[in-house]
Amino acid sequence: MGIKRKAGADAGTETIAAKKASGVSERYLADLRYRLGAFKEAFNCDVNTLAPDDVGTFFDRMKLSPRSYNNFVNALRTFFSFAKNYGWLSKEAALLSRVQKRKEKSEPVEIFSPSELAALLECAPPDVFPFLAFAAFAGLRAE
C-alpha cells in the first residue's frame, strides 16, 4: 500500500483532533493550532508533496526567538510523525533534515532582595498582588 494523499490543512486538523482525544492540555492544543496554522498558510498542498527544502525555507523566513523557533520545530516534528503513522508521508521522509534547533541563551535568574520585593509588593495593584507574592515566595521563575 502506497502513500495516501492528504491535504496539509486536513492533516493538521486531524492531528489536532487526535491530540485532543488523547487528553493533552488545552494550552498545548492552542499552541499546536497556532503553529500548524502558520505552516498550513505557507503550504496549500498535500503533505506528501513537501520536500526538506520547502520546510527549510519556511524556517529560514521566520524571524523568531530561539525558543519560539524550537517550539515550531517540535510542533512540526509531532505533525510529521503523525502523518507518517497515518500513511500520508513515507516513513523515510526527513522533512526536518535542513532544520537545526537553535541554541537558547539562558539568562541569569534575578533575585530580589527583601527590600526590593517589599517595594514591589507595596506598589502592586490589588489584583496583581497575590500573583506577585505567590511567585516570589514559591520561587517561580520565568524560564
Side-chain angles (χ1 to χ4, degrees), residues 33-79:
R33 278 186 206 102
Y34 163 68
R35 296 182 197 288
L36 294 184
F39 191 74
K40 177 178 74 174
E41 284 181 27
F43 299 101
N44 186 19
C45 62
D46 288 350
V47 177
N48 68 327
T49 63
L50 293 168
D53 283 343
D54 299 327
V55 177
T57 300
F58 171 76
F59 277 95
D60 291 343
R61 291 181 178 155
M62 289 197 298
K63 306 292 184 225
L64 299 170
S65 71
R67 176 75 254 157
S68 292
Y69 185 95
N70 292 342
N71 287 343
F72 259 98
V73 173
N74 291 336
L76 288 182
R77 182 173 288 119
T78 296
F79 174 62

